[in-house]
Amino acid sequence: MKILGAQIDRFTVLKQATLDFSPAMNIFIGRNGTGKSHLMKLLYAIIKSLPPEEAADRERIFQRDLSTKLAGVFKPDEQSISRLVTRANGRSKATVSVSTDCGQVAWRLTTLGNLHVDAVDASTSSPTVFLPSRETLAMYEGFVQAYENRELSFDETYKDVCTLLSGSLLLGPRLAHARVLAQPLEKVLGGTVRLAGNRFYLASADGNLEAHLLAEGHRKIASLIHLVLNGSLLRNSILFWDEPEANLNPRLITVVAETLRKLAEFGVQIFVSTHDYLLASELSLAMEFSPLLKAEERLDIRFFGLSVAPSFAIQTGSVLADLAGNDLVAEYADHYDRQAESMRKLLRMKAAADGGTGHPQ
């Protein structure tokens, strides 16, 4: 399945948005509070709630499952999804329409908490993965059982990814193909990822190292490896990744960017939110210098810049530089301006200390 586009009106901070997505890779940038994570969670909740193709009462099933999923991934007070409608005086409603390559989905949500389904023509059996900004490998042990039996503050994306991590490895040619994607990441870690009992380990020439003893950034890489090898991230699946750069060394950022490109080449549709200039720039290079790439390596990558001031707006571009006034580029430019100004001040101070002669007194 591929998500082709979305029209959103008055859903949380997403007051009015029309988006056309790339079937390969979509990158969301913007300041905190502009709706990047909300947009990805919304799309994720919709796809995860789609009924099977053979389902008889599709609208009822979708309404039930979507209500539950929205409450789970957004965790509003008292599980009240009415709180997901953009706040306004009096009664209001949110409307959402999502188009996919296998059909349309449309629904309305009122401030009274009523969810009305207008269309649900799409179905999917493809895996859909949401990786939250915090790693999940160390919390995996017993997490799903605890989540289902106790009230935890984590949203449901954490439980979902832990469930996917429990899957066993692929077999035969599919595993061999998956290993091609995983090998560059395994090289970074210096070993292979193994699930033994209810714990994850990094198996290397020096022995087994439990996941809890790995650096957090390495645990994120290890999770990605295992999801590739157990078939959660293969052709026609969808990956949502919220802030991949969190707790990653800059040298790992370039590895992640290359892995995302390889996954997209393989047929995974990718949605990423990021505050990281290096990650966004690395992904932008694939579009800026696409003539240098082989035909099979050229990707349709789209950038979306979200802002809320003076009003909610979304810019779209094929490279990072297409987004006017985006903070990732602007803050780095400001950094170099501050550095240059500080250097000028330091030189003036030295010149004054030397009596203006340029030589020490």
Side-chain angles (χ1 to χ4, degrees), residues 4 33-35 50 53-54 82 87-88 100 107 138 162 176 198 219 226 229 268 308 340 345-346:
L4 304 180
T34 54
L50 291 175
E53 186 174 2
E54 65 277 7
S82 64
R87 306 298 168 82
T100 75
W107 49 274
C162 283
N198 203 23
R219 293 199 295 264
H226 194 71
L229 294 180
V268 178
V308 294
K345 289 180 179 179
L346 184 60

Side-chain angles (χ1 to χ4, degrees), residues 27-98:
I27 300 102
F28 304 117
I29 67 171
R31 297 184 181 183
N32 291 331
T34 54
K36 303 182 301 298
S37 298
H38 281 197
L39 175 56
M40 294 204 304
K41 285 184 175 182
L42 171 61
L43 295 173
Y44 173 74
I46 291 171
I47 300 304
K48 290 291 285 185
S49 303
L50 291 175
E53 186 174 2
E54 65 277 7
D57 195 353
R58 298 176 56 79
E59 291 188 4
R60 183 189 62 80
I61 293 172
F62 179 67
Q63 179 195 41
R64 179 199 64 197
D65 292 351
L66 180 61
S67 297
T68 302
K69 202 66 182 176
L70 288 173
V73 301
F74 286 97
K75 291 193 74 74
D77 283 353
E78 299 177 351
Q79 302 291 291
S80 176
I81 60 174
S82 64
R83 298 181 61 78
L84 302 179
V85 180
T86 302
R87 306 298 168 82
N89 293 326
R91 294 181 181 178
S92 185
K93 67 178 178 181
T95 59
V96 177
S97 176
V98 172

Side-chain angles (χ1 to χ4, degrees), residues 261-283:
R261 286 196 293 264
K262 292 297 183 183
L263 286 170
E265 288 173 22
F266 187 64
V268 178
Q269 187 180 24
I270 294 170
F271 295 85
V272 168
S273 74
T274 183
H275 294 284
D276 189 77
Y277 176 77
L278 178 58
L279 177 60
S281 295
E282 282 290 319
L283 295 174

Side-chain angles (χ1 to χ4, degrees), residues 265 286 289-300:
E265 288 173 22
F289 299 102
S290 59
L292 301 177
L293 301 175
K294 299 176 183 177
E296 63 271 17
E297 296 176 340
R298 295 174 189 170
L299 298 173
D300 176 15

Side-chain angles (χ1 to χ4, degrees), residues 39 46 52 148 186 188-189 251 272 274 287 292 304 318 352:
L39 175 56
I46 291 171
E148 291 175 346
E186 292 177 333
V188 169
L189 293 185
R251 290 194 178 276
V272 168
T274 183
M287 288 296 290
L292 301 177
F304 299 85
S318 58

Side-chain angles (χ1 to χ4, degrees), residues 322-351:
D322 287 340
L323 306 183
N326 79 77
D327 289 330
L328 294 187
V329 174
E331 189 56 35
Y332 271 83
D334 290 346
H335 167 76
Y336 288 117
D337 288 344
R338 291 192 296 271
Q339 186 180 45
E341 179 58 27
S342 296
M343 182 61 70
R344 287 191 290 268
K345 289 180 179 179
L346 184 60
L347 291 174
R348 287 195 295 268
M349 289 175 61
K350 288 184 175 181

Side-chain angles (χ1 to χ4, degrees), residues 189-231:
L189 293 185
T192 58
V193 181
R194 292 182 181 173
L195 176 60
N198 203 23
R199 296 194 111 189
F200 277 95
Y201 296 86
L202 177 68
S204 69
D206 298 325
N208 291 335
L209 185 66
E210 50 267 54
H212 297 73
L213 300 183
L214 291 175
E216 185 168 350
H218 283 174
R219 293 199 295 264
K220 296 182 78 169
I221 298 296
S223 297
L224 193 62
I225 290 171
H226 194 71
L227 291 171
V228 168
L229 294 180
N230 73 10

